[in-house]
Amino acid sequence: NAGVTQTPKFQVLKTGQSMTLQCAQDMNHEYMSWYRQDPGMGLRLIHYSVGAGITDQGEVPNGYNVSRSTTEDFPLRLLSAAPSQTSVYFCASSHSGQTNTGELFFGEGSRLTVL
Amino acid sequence: GNSVTQMEGPVTLSEEAFLTINCTYTATGYPSLFWYVQYPGEGLQLLLKATKADDKGSNKGFEATYRKETTSFHLEKGSVQVSDSAVYFCALSDRNTGRRALTFGSGTRLQVQP
């Protein structure tokens, strides 16, 4: 019963460093997405993918890259970390038919601190 | 654009008290509405949903009614328990957008004391 798995759960970076947040799901979901959660602002969509080889930007894409080479994996890359990217990041997935009904399945989150 | 407004927290209640968390929305088209819950240290889980006006979503004793005339989707529970302590997010999904994303409110933290 793995569901959506995110790694790492915690990470501290220095400004300018790069890193990748990993997300994997074992439910054969077509749709995957990344959100960031900031105090008082709810969750905001960073990038999303509707299938392998297809990605698109969300509400706050600047500073982040994604790729979707397999159905299972959807990594989020920070090429040059900035303090403004300090946040909690959530990966979420769903079957395409569930996406418009809001039934997203979330990982446990990755807390990133950029010094 | 779409937006969701929730009451600010934290909301602190005694066990068995009545809970209301207000949620109003702005959206084009006819959105579906949701409540998600986030327990400490966990990701978000879908609590309940309503896909059209006057629908009532319910789960685990929680209820919310889709009110198109007041653009609201308030969450209620008749008798809260300590185990209900969590952060609650109201969200909407606009079927007319290509992103297939949810728009979330800022979340309301509920603390239930024994």
Side-chain angles (χ1 to χ4, degrees):
Chain A
N1 292 340
V4 179
T5 303
Q6 290 183 232
T7 56
K9 287 187 167 43
F10 301 94
Q11 183 71 50
V12 179
L13 291 178
K14 295 181 180 178
T15 297
Q17 286 185 318
S18 63
M19 76 157 300
T20 299
L21 298 177
Q22 302 291 345
C23 176
Q25 52 89 9
D26 61 359
M27 297 173 283
N28 202 30
H29 285 169
E30 300 90 358
Y31 179 89
M32 297 185 74
S33 57
W34 278 101
Y35 286 84
R36 59 177 290 173
Q37 181 184 22
D38 300 297
M41 301 185 72
L43 279 75
R44 293 179 292 169
L45 181 68
I46 303 172
H47 285 285
Y48 68 98
S49 168
V50 299
I54 306 170
T55 64
D56 208 344
Q57 296 181 350
E59 182 184 355
V60 288
N62 292 341
Y64 307 95
N65 281 348
V66 292
S67 60
R68 184 94 179 270
S69 57
T70 66
T71 299
E72 295 77 21
D73 300 298
F74 191 46
L76 179 71
R77 296 183 185 86
L78 286 72
L79 298 179
S80 179
S84 61
Q85 294 178 303
T86 294
S87 187
V88 180
Y89 292 84
F90 287 99
C91 181
S93 72
S94 74
H95 283 299
S96 292
Q98 292 172 317
T99 305
N100 286 343
T101 61
E103 294 184 57
L104 295 178
F105 294 80
F106 282 82
E108 295 183 351
S110 298
R111 183 177 295 274
L112 175 66
T113 301
V114 182
L115 303 176
Chain B
N2 297 339
S3 67
V4 176
T5 302
Q6 289 181 237
M7 60 188 293
E8 288 191 19
V11 174
T12 302
L13 296 174
S14 297
E15 211 165 19
E16 299 184 2
F18 184 87
L19 168 70
T20 300
I21 299 178
N22 290 338
C23 171
T24 57
Y25 68 89
T26 301
T28 56
Y30 302 94
S32 295
L33 301 174
F34 314 92
W35 278 99
Y36 274 79
V37 59
Q38 182 181 27
Y39 297 105
E42 298 183 10
L44 282 72
Q45 305 172 26
L46 179 63
L47 179 61
L48 54 83
K49 67 178 182 180
T51 58
K52 61 183 188 297
D54 299 325
D55 268 2
K56 176 185 284 187
S58 61
N59 186 26
K60 299 181 181 180
F62 291 89
E63 293 183 340
T65 301
Y66 189 145
R67 302 287 188 198
K68 188 168 181 288
E69 63 276 11
T70 55
T71 62
S72 64
F73 193 55
H74 304 321
L75 183 68
E76 297 181 335
K77 186 175 186 183
S79 176
V80 295
Q81 306 300 312
V82 172
S83 57
D84 294 327
S85 298
V87 181
Y88 293 82
F89 292 90
C90 186
L92 67 83
S93 170
D94 187 345
R95 285 180 283 260
N96 293 323
T97 66
R99 288 178 177 172
R100 307 192 212 180
L102 300 183
T103 299
F104 286 89
S106 57
T108 302
R109 182 176 300 277
L110 171 65
Q111 298 173 336
V112 181
Q113 298 175 337

